[in-house]
Amino acid sequence: WNMTIFQFNEKFPTEDDAVDYFLRIRYNNELTCPHCGAKVNVYHRKDRKRICNCYKCNNTFSIFSDTIFEKSTTDLRKWFYAIHLFLNDKKGISGCQLQRELGVTYKTAWRMLQQIRTAMGNVDMKKTFDGFVEIDETYVGGKPRKENVKFDKNGNIIPSEKEPSKRGRGTDKTPVVGVKERNSGKVHAKIMLPDEKGQKLTGKQLLTVLDEACKDGTTVISDDFNGYNILDKTHANNFIHFSVNHSAGQFSNGKGIHTNGIENFWSVLKRGWIGTYHHWSVKYMQRYVNEFCFRYGNRENTGIFDLVLKQAIGA
C-alpha cells in the first residue's frame, strides 16, 4: 500500500470522489437493486450521493447498506483515511491517535477502528492452507509483576498469600493459537478460551484451529508441546506432523523443520500490543488478532486498500 498523505489527497480530493470510488468497488459500475435484483433503470442520485433509485420497483437504497459504513454519519473520506492510516502502520493505530488525526470524538474513533477490524476478519478460511504450515501458541496479557514486600511491626517480611504470576503455559493470560502457511505467508489465528472442564489449549482445540484453515494431508510443523501429540494419531485430516524440541534447545533441524515463521508473527503482534494498544479485553481480542493476521498476510499486496473495502461488505 505505502500511500503517502499527498497521494491520498490526490486520489480522494472530495467526499464525492470517495463515494464514487466505493461505488465502483462494490458494484463494478453495474448498480443492482437489493429489493428486486434489477440491473437496469437503477440510478445513482447526484444530489444525495449515498442514495440510489430503482425505477423498476420504485424503491430507494443506500450504497452503504450491509457494510461497516451503514449506520455511520461520518464522512466516507474520513473512513478511507482511517483505513489508510491503519494499513500504513505495521503495529496498528490507537483510538486516541485516530481521534487526533480525524478530529472526531474518541467514541467515534474507537467504533471506526472496531468496524475496520471486523472487515479485516471477514474472511472464510474454507481450508485454504496446504503444503507446509507452522503452528504455535502464545499468551497475551500483562507482564508478571512482583508484589510489594510487606513487613510486620517487628520488621519481618509477611509471606504473600498470592501465587507469583507465571509466563507461558500455566499462566492466567489468554492463549492464542496461530497457523502460518509458508507458501503464501498468511496467518490464521484464534484465541482459545477454557473448555467446559476449564482446561486451556487441549489437543482437540489445537486440531480445531488446524481443521479450519488446512486442507487434508497438510504437513504441520510444531514445537514439542504435548497438545500436538494428537497430530500423531490417526484422524480424518491425515496431517503429516513434524516437531522441533524447543525444550532441548533445538529450534531447527537444518532441513526446514522449524516454527520461526509463526514466531515472527507473534513478535509483530506483541510489539503492537505493548507499543500501541497496551491492553486488549478478552471480549474484543479476536478482532485485534484478526487485524494483525490481515495486515501480516497482505503486507506485499498492493491492492490491500481495495481488499478492505470489499471485505467491508457483509461484515
Side-chain angles (χ1 to χ4, degrees):
W1 176 239
N2 292 329
M3 182 186 290
T4 66
I5 180 60
F6 303 104
Q7 292 170 324
F8 179 88
N9 287 331
E10 184 178 350
K11 193 177 183 71
F12 307 113
T14 66
E15 175 71 4
D16 287 352
D17 290 302
V19 172
D20 289 339
Y21 189 85
F22 180 72
L23 200 67
R24 290 193 297 271
I25 291 292
R26 179 166 193 179
Y27 295 105
N28 194 24
N29 295 322
E30 189 177 36
L31 288 174
T32 304
C33 176
H35 302 289
C36 66
K39 295 184 179 181
V40 293
N41 296 325
V42 184
Y43 301 97
H44 184 212
R45 293 182 58 163
K46 294 183 179 180
D47 58 333
R48 298 175 64 191
K49 298 288 286 187
R50 297 184 174 213
I51 302 299
C52 294
N53 289 344
C54 175
Y55 290 104
K56 186 174 181 180
C57 65
N58 292 322
N59 272 309
T60 63
F61 62 92
S62 169
I63 65 172
F64 299 136
S65 62
D66 195 31
T67 72
I68 64 172
F69 315 115
E70 182 175 6
K71 297 180 180 180
S72 174
T73 57
T74 306
D75 290 347
L76 185 64
R77 192 167 178 263
K78 288 186 177 181
W79 276 97
F80 279 13
Y81 189 56
I83 295 172
H84 158 73
L85 293 174
F86 219 18
L87 297 178
N88 264 12
D89 199 311
K90 185 177 182 181
K91 292 174 285 191
I93 180 172
S94 68
C96 288
Q97 179 64 29
L98 188 64
Q99 177 188 9
R100 292 189 290 268
E101 294 281 354
L102 297 184
V104 297
T105 64
Y106 176 76
K107 183 178 180 180
T108 297
W110 186 88
R111 181 182 181 276
M112 290 173 73
L113 291 178
Q114 290 293 350
Q115 290 291 82
I116 296 169
R117 291 186 185 102
T118 301
M120 289 178 167
N122 187 25
V123 181
D124 190 357
M125 295 308 298
K126 292 182 179 178
K127 297 180 177 290
T128 55
F129 290 0
D130 60 6
F132 284 82
V133 302
E134 302 172 16
I135 184 171
D136 193 32
E137 72 286 343
T138 192
Y139 296 83
V140 178
K143 283 186 176 181
R145 297 182 181 274
K146 292 183 179 179
E147 197 174 355
N148 292 332
V149 178
K150 297 180 180 179
F151 299 88
D152 59 18
K153 295 180 180 180
N154 299 322
N156 299 318
I157 296 176
I158 302 175
S160 173
E161 297 179 357
K162 296 182 179 179
E163 294 185 4
S165 54
K166 300 178 181 178
R167 297 181 60 188
R169 296 177 187 122
T171 183
D172 291 331
K173 299 179 184 180
T174 304
V176 184
V177 178
V179 183
K180 179 182 178 181
E181 184 185 35
R182 284 189 178 176
N183 289 337
S184 66
K186 292 184 178 297
V187 174
H188 173 62
K190 301 280 285 187
I191 70 168
M192 292 285 106
L193 300 178
D195 61 13
E196 62 276 3
K197 297 181 180 179
Q199 293 181 317
K200 293 183 179 180
L201 281 187
T202 63
K204 290 182 179 179
Q205 288 178 315
L206 297 169
L207 187 59
T208 299
V209 178
L210 282 168
D211 187 48
E212 288 177 354
C214 301
K215 296 179 181 178
D216 294 354
T218 299
T219 299
V220 180
I221 303 171
S222 71
D223 60 18
D224 55 324
F225 175 42
N226 291 335
Y228 297 117
N229 292 340
I230 193 172
L231 298 176
D232 297 321
K233 300 178 182 179
T234 303
H235 49 77
N237 305 81
N238 295 318
F239 292 135
I240 303 169
H241 181 218
F242 294 97
S243 64
V244 286
N245 192 348
H246 286 176
S247 300
Q250 180 191 40
F251 298 97
S252 174
N253 69 349
K255 298 180 181 179
I257 306 301
H258 60 77
T259 58
N260 297 342
I262 186 63
E263 288 171 7
N264 173 257
F265 171 74
W266 294 142
S267 69
V268 176
L269 183 140
K270 289 293 184 71
R271 291 307 97 192
W273 183 84
I274 294 172
T276 301
Y277 298 118
H278 312 309
H279 173 74
W280 299 334
S281 67
V282 176
K283 180 179 179 180
Y284 297 109
M285 187 178 295
Q286 186 61 56
R287 294 186 186 180
Y288 288 90
V289 172
N290 292 342
E291 168 199 338
F292 281 88
C293 288
F294 179 88
R295 201 162 39 224
Y296 188 89
N298 292 282
R299 59 193 181 281
E300 297 181 1
N301 182 1
T302 56
I304 187 174
F305 184 85
D306 290 357
L307 182 59
V308 174
L309 296 184
K310 291 175 183 176
Q311 293 186 189
I313 303 167

